[in-house]
Amino acid sequence: MTTPFEVVTERVRAAWNAEVDYQPLAQQSVLTSELQVQAAAVRWGDRVLDVAAGTGNTALAAARRGAVVTATDFSPVGLERAVRRAAAEGVTIDTEVADAQQLPFEDGSFDVVLSTFGVMYAPDQQRAADELLRVCRPGGRIGLVSWCLTGLMADLQSALGAVLPPPPPGVPSPHRWGTEQHYKELFGDRIAVTSADVLTQDTFAESAQAQVAAMLTHLPPWRMLFDRLDPKGQSAMAAAAEGAYERANRAIDGTLLAGSQYLRIVATAL
Ligand SMILES: C[S@@+](CC[C@H](N)C(=O)[O-])C[C@H]1O[C@@H](n2cnc3c(N)ncnc32)[C@H](O)[C@@H]1O
């Protein structure tokens, strides 16, 4: 029998396997990846794994420091882009198509295991956490960045929740990864948290409308949902998202400047 975890994994995989160009959105979080790699103290020669790496922001940030980087994702589409980006910069990364819930690496293969807005979307959160820990060597670092369900993200979720079908029952919210308490539940005393910071990633766009149009075009899960709606549903989804961005907008010049909070955790694997 198919479990809710398998249903969601396949749905998310199908969305990210579509030929959708995610890079215009990924570039909005380049700074977050650079800061994450710095926080995790990635150094020359470290063996680094970037889980759910997408188009490679974090993998590339680690490779620029001279780390030996493997980028994994269950969709090859983003990884192909990551390889092209690496080549353009003259750095090297290895890639491997892999589900975060079942990583194809030996125990203790990496000095540093990172994921940026990635592993949070694997529905079997305990299994994903166990895999991150398993492939990290004892004494190595785990560094994760996950959206908090606060401010703009909370507003977006409730605005979209009013117009979209509910998620399947039995699958925990990805935003649980945005609370420090969740790490205690998932990892217990198997890690020692060395830093836990709630930070803000700012999004800049021509307008709230332009940002939502970019997300409906370039964010595969949003695009998949949008494409399945009738024209009335599509207008409702776009209007709900635009409303949330407008409410979060701090710009006073007619453009968009909106912050979203994320939790950045760095921990030592014990
Ligand atoms: C929001 S993107 C973030 C990509 C990248 N880490 C970044 O910072 O730009 C989420 C990524 O997670 C990947 N993903 C989601 N669930 C996954 C899973 N169970 N296993 C592997 N990759 C997964 C998607 O394919 C996508 O590339």
Side-chain angles (χ1 to χ4, degrees):
M1 205 180 90
T2 317
T3 67
F5 290 160
E6 288 164 346
V7 170
V8 171
T9 300
E10 287 319 311
R11 188 180 298 171
V12 178
R13 193 201 307 264
W16 286 96
N17 266 307
E19 287 295 332
V20 171
D21 180 11
Y22 175 59
Q23 187 53 27
L25 290 178
Q27 71 189 19
Q28 296 182 343
S29 58
V30 165
L31 178 61
T32 297
S33 287
E34 291 289 346
L35 294 173
Q36 181 186 10
V37 162
Q38 182 179 48
V42 171
R43 300 179 50 170
W44 191 92
D46 275 343
R47 296 164 301 163
V48 172
L49 178 66
D50 182 11
V51 177
T55 57
N57 278 350
T58 302
L60 289 173
R64 280 183 211 109
R65 290 181 161 230
V68 180
V69 179
T70 304
T72 64
D73 198 288
F74 66 6
S75 163
V77 177
L79 293 179
E80 285 157 15
R81 184 65 177 258
V83 169
R84 292 202 301 278
R85 290 177 75 196
E89 289 203 30
V91 294
T92 306
I93 58 171
D94 283 333
T95 58
E96 184 124 13
V97 175
D99 186 336
Q101 300 155 119
Q102 197 171 3
L103 294 171
F105 307 107
E106 300 288 317
D107 297 0
S109 298
F110 298 96
D111 302 302
V112 186
V113 177
L114 304 171
S115 189
T116 315
F117 309 128
V119 76
M120 64 180 288
Y121 295 110
D124 190 341
Q125 300 185 345
Q126 187 62 61
R127 196 165 158 197
D130 291 348
E131 282 295 85
L132 297 178
L133 191 59
R134 182 183 66 74
V135 301
C136 188
R137 70 164 170 82
R141 281 100 70 209
I142 295 175
L144 304 176
V145 156
S146 312
W147 296 118
C148 302
L149 193 56
T150 54
L152 171 58
M153 283 293 158
D155 195 12
L156 258 182
Q157 177 160 304
S158 71
L160 289 175
V163 297
L164 292 175
V171 175
S173 164
H175 294 285
R176 290 174 73 194
W177 288 91
T179 65
E180 203 179 336
Q181 174 60 28
H182 195 45
Y183 290 78
K184 295 193 177 77
E185 292 160 10
L186 290 176
F187 293 100
D189 57 8
R190 297 180 296 162
I191 60 169
V193 172
T194 49
S195 66
D197 299 293
V198 174
L199 302 166
T200 298
Q201 177 176 299
D202 279 329
T203 296
F204 301 88
E206 187 182 355
S207 62
Q209 209 179 8
Q211 173 66 14
V212 171
M215 292 176 81
L216 292 171
T217 307
H218 297 290
L219 184 59
W222 276 43
R223 182 154 166 180
M224 183 185 251
L225 285 166
F226 188 76
D227 286 348
R228 287 178 179 170
L229 295 170
D230 61 20
K232 201 168 149 221
Q234 290 185 337
S235 304
M237 182 178 175
E242 284 167 24
Y245 274 99
E246 290 291 8
R247 287 187 287 278
N249 195 0
R250 311 196 314 272
I252 52 168
D253 60 358
T255 68
L256 176 75
L257 162 52
S260 306
Q261 289 185 314
Y262 66 90
L263 176 65
R264 185 183 67 204
I265 289 266
V266 180
T268 303
L270 300 177

